[in-house]
Every structure is written in structure tokens, then in C-alpha cells.
Amino acid sequence: MTARDLLPILVLLVLAALLPLVVTSSPVLNFLVFMLIVALGAQGWNILGGFGGQFSFGHAAFFGTGAYVTAILQLRWGVNAWAGLALATAAGAAVGWAIGFLSFRSGLRGSYFALVTLAFAEVFRILANAASFTGGAAGLLIKLDVHPGNLQFADRAVFYWLVLALVGAVLVLTRWIQRSRFGAQLVAVRENEDAAKALGVDSLRVKLRAIALSGGVTALAGCLYAQYFLYIDATIAYGSWISVELLLAPIIGGVGTVFGPVVGALTLHGLGEVAKQFAGRIPGIDLIVFGAVLVLAVAFARGGILGLLERLRDRGAGLLRPSSRSDAAKEPSNVGR
């Protein structure tokens, strides 16, 4: 990985970091923070589903684990919020590894693996809704105590910059995966697992590393959600809504790309907010927008928005470049000389 690989990430982070200096509206900052949290979780899904080809329908299992672990550690045992953030991220990675071990050791692939992840997320939701230490159906309310040591800030912009820095770190991680031997092995497993095995790739080990990384990054997004909104329950933490959003963002933006999840999250939530403004807050209007964008992406942009832009760029470059046939026609013929 070279400095040239990191330059686009640095430019994006600098431009995004300047936004709170221009926009000070609380609703806009809330939107940006939530969008970045979704982008972070979507990047976690992208590591497993985009690069590894292991589509998951139940990433809420990792998101909810991160949210609940950080909340429980603070409320039940008085653990510092920063330490809770690190421990909750590790817990998400451990849950990811455990689910991957049970699934991949059994040879589950494709739709079977996707349904198993969905089942795990639903089981976690039911358990969290019934258990007393998770607050049951009432959920958990993190005490409001504005202090940097508690990961609570008087200015929303500070939390925005924190989330943006973590998104940047995960973008660097994703770029490293894209350029590393591990990333090449992931792509090989995605394209043809049997052929990858024949070439000496330990597919089980590669997929376990991928799902552990994916679970940890997604759990980190769950931690930040709980820490920003200071409340979670089973429906929020383990609900199907978050699994759907983390799945849609990479598909819309570009599966298996570094910036796809960020572009997808911004597109989905940006269009959703615009639709809410024009539709007078009709319940579910954002879901209608999500569905419409997904249909359009599947029909006209199989590689997502980034893939579509790349194809348009290549087509434009092709139009500007004269064809070899026309060049040959312009050259004087040497026949008969």
C-alpha cells in the first residue's frame, strides 16, 4: 500500500472534517453522524460480503452486540466508555468468529449462510428482549454525563469528528485488505472457493479472519450508535432494519470497493431525508426510496454507483480517443507503390 492509495481517503476526510465549520445545524449534524455510523457498519459488511463474497442477512447480530456490551459494561460494572468501546468491538469480533466457525465448518455457503446469519440475529433479538441484564423490552438508558471521558460531548461536532476518524481508519484498513495478500485470498475464495483451495488457500482460515474483522467493525458502529443516542433496546440493536441498511449501502455504492459503503450510505439517507421533506413525513417514505434505489441499482448499475461512474468515464474516454479503424483509413495506402 502506497501513499497514492491513501491520498483519496485523506482528501475525503479533510473535506468531510470541514463540514461542521460550515454547517452548525443540529438536525444536519445528527444526520451526518447517523450516516457515518451506517457507513462504518456497512464497511464491516463489505469486508465479508464485498471482498469475501459471503453475503450476510444478519449483521444486526454484530451491531447489537457492540451496542449492548458497551452499555452493559458502563451501567452494570462502571467500565469507562472508551474501554467499553474497545471491549465491545472485541466482543463483536468474537461473535463473528464463533458464527463463522459454526457456519463455515459446516460447509454453509451462499443463501444457506445468509439465512443462518439472519437466524442468529433473530435469536439474539429474542434473548435481549427477554433477559433482565439487557433491560428486557424496556431497553437500556445510558446515563447522561457530558464529559470526554464518558464519550459524551457538549458539541455534536466533536462526536462527528470522532466517528469520521474511525470511518477513516476503517477505510485505510479496507484499502490495506484490497492491496494485501489476505485480500487476494479473499477475492479468490469469492470467485471460486474450490479453485482457491486447489491453489493452497486455507479458505476456512481466510473466511474466519474476514468475518471476525467484519464483526468487529460492525460492533464498533453499534457502540457509537449507543453512545450517541444513549438508548438501545432489542428492536433497535438487533432489528432487521440495521441488517438491511448495512446490506443496501455497499450494494448501492459499490460492493467490494473501498468507498462504496460511504457513497451508498450517503445516497440512501440523503434521498430518504429529501423524500421526507417533500412528502410531509409520510411514514415509511424512506423505505420506499430505499427500495426504489435498490431496484434501479440492480437494473442499471450492477457495480453500484461507483461502478456506473467508472463505466461512464471509460465510455467518455473511448469517445474522445479516435478508433484504430479511422486512423487506418486516414493513412495513405501503400498498395501499388
Side-chain angles (χ1 to χ4, degrees), residues 117-296:
T117 58
L118 178 62
F120 270 107
E122 186 62 15
V123 169
F124 286 175
R125 186 190 67 80
I126 293 171
L127 292 176
N129 200 51
S132 59
F133 70 93
T134 60
L140 294 175
L141 183 65
I142 299 175
K143 181 182 177 182
L144 177 63
D145 186 5
V146 180
H147 189 275
N150 298 323
L151 257 175
Q152 298 181 29
F153 308 98
D155 189 352
R156 287 181 173 85
V158 178
F159 200 94
Y160 168 82
W161 285 320
L162 171 65
V163 180
L164 180 63
L166 293 173
V167 169
V170 175
L171 286 173
V172 172
L173 171 65
T174 310
R175 179 68 82 186
W176 171 81
I177 291 174
Q178 190 182 54
R179 297 286 189 260
S180 69
R181 179 185 178 88
F182 170 60
Q185 292 174 335
L186 260 181
V187 172
V189 170
R190 179 189 70 194
E191 297 301 324
N192 192 323
E193 186 170 345
D194 294 329
K197 287 180 179 179
L199 292 173
V201 176
D202 187 345
S203 62
L204 176 61
R205 183 165 177 256
V206 169
K207 289 192 290 186
L208 286 178
R209 287 178 65 187
I211 197 171
L213 277 174
S214 179
V217 172
T218 308
L220 177 60
C223 295
L224 294 171
Y225 182 95
Q227 206 61 47
Y228 187 72
F229 294 100
L230 300 179
Y231 173 78
I232 55 167
D233 61 17
T235 302
I236 293 174
Y238 291 117
S240 58
W241 71 276
I242 190 63
S243 293
V244 171
E245 294 213 14
L246 301 188
L247 170 71
L248 286 182
I251 291 176
I252 300 301
V255 172
T257 63
V258 174
F259 295 102
V262 178
V263 173
L266 178 60
T267 301
L268 286 173
H269 287 279
L271 291 176
E273 288 300 316
V274 170
K276 287 178 182 178
Q277 295 298 324
F278 284 98
R281 299 284 176 178
I282 297 176
I285 187 65
D286 54 334
L287 299 179
I288 296 174
V289 171
F290 289 1
V293 173
L294 178 62
V295 170
L296 291 173

Side-chain angles (χ1 to χ4, degrees), residues 50-68:
F51 291 98
Q54 310 300 314
F55 274 41
S56 163
F57 290 169
H59 255 55
F62 313 133
F63 184 90
T65 296
Y68 266 112

